Amino acid sequence: MIRSFTLAISATAILLVMTGSTAMAQSTTSDPQGNERPVIGLQHTGPIKVVYQVSEDKWKDGAGKAFLYLKNLRGFYDKQGISASDLDIRAVVHGDASSHVLTDEAWNRVKGVDTGNPNTKLLSELKKLGVSVELCDTRRKREGWSKSDINAGVLLTEAAYARIIDLQHQGYAYIKF
């Protein structure tokens, strides 16, 4: 009896695999480029809480890459019809990315240039969009920067890792950048 049951289960499994393979082959044949593949859309439309950990000195298009991606994320949610009141996006900056939030004057002094911080405009835009940018105060002190060396729109947080953990306990989704 057990052997008959096992054979029946095996035969059913083989039949399912063969049927699935045939269906897959048919769908591939009818759409060889995969143009009819579904795209998963948003399933949760708010409230949305996310914290970016920004620690690497990465650049794209002349600005801090993480800040560009934050702006793009905010824009994506706008296009999906998600209101600003349903969004709480934060960036906790520390490590090698810390200089990205310096004022123009401090940037020039620290980097030995006279161009100003390439992120100044983007930081202002993020603030207007409701994105909160925070700098690890421990890092600021270690670098010897005064509080006035930090862009006025950037908040100071006591310790980056502790802040990220705290935000995660408050329900923020975590993204490492």
Side-chain angles (χ1 to χ4, degrees):
M1 169 111 168
I2 293 175
R3 184 172 183 187
S4 297
F5 180 73
T6 305
L7 287 173
I9 295 274
S10 298
T12 303
I14 291 170
L15 182 61
L16 287 172
V17 168
M18 289 174 60
T19 305
S21 298
T22 303
M24 187 178 284
Q26 288 173 349
S27 68
T28 304
T29 304
S30 66
D31 185 20
Q33 281 84 31
N35 293 324
E36 295 180 23
R37 293 172 62 181
V39 176
I40 299 169
L42 287 180
Q43 296 173 4
H44 180 76
T45 57
I48 295 167
K49 297 171 19 170
V50 63
V51 57
Y52 263 56
Q53 176 184 345
V54 181
S55 60
E56 296 183 12
D57 186 18
K58 292 188 175 184
W59 295 83
K60 182 176 180 177
D61 299 332
K65 190 173 181 180
F67 298 146
L68 287 174
Y69 279 50
L70 281 163
K71 183 179 175 185
N72 290 342
L73 178 66
R74 181 64 173 78
F76 171 79
Y77 281 125
D78 276 345
K79 289 177 186 172
Q80 301 302 310
I82 310 239
S83 70
S85 64
D86 283 331
L87 291 172
D88 188 353
I89 302 173
R90 312 227 180 166
V92 177
V93 181
H94 67 106
D96 293 340
S98 296
S99 65
H100 291 207
V101 298
L102 292 171
T103 63
D104 288 336
E105 297 77 22
W107 176 272
N108 289 345
R109 185 181 72 247
V110 168
K111 301 293 184 178
V113 297
D114 62 0
T115 59
N117 185 342
N119 294 307
T120 299
K121 180 181 175 192
L122 190 51
L123 288 168
S124 176
E125 290 174 24
L126 289 172
K127 184 172 180 166
K128 287 178 187 170
L129 292 170
V131 176
S132 176
V133 178
E134 304 174 14
L135 173 67
C136 175
D137 201 47
T138 302
R139 180 63 181 233
R140 178 194 62 81
K141 290 174 184 175
R142 186 169 16 149
E143 295 294 338
W145 301 331
S146 70
K147 289 181 180 179
S148 63
D149 286 335
I150 308 307
N151 182 293
V154 174
L155 303 172
L156 296 173
T157 186
E158 196 170 353
Y161 290 121
R163 178 65 171 155
I164 291 166
I165 291 167
D166 188 44
L167 289 169
Q168 286 180 296
H169 281 292
Q170 294 176 47
Y172 285 74
Y174 168 78
I175 298 175
K176 173 148 177 46
F177 200 89

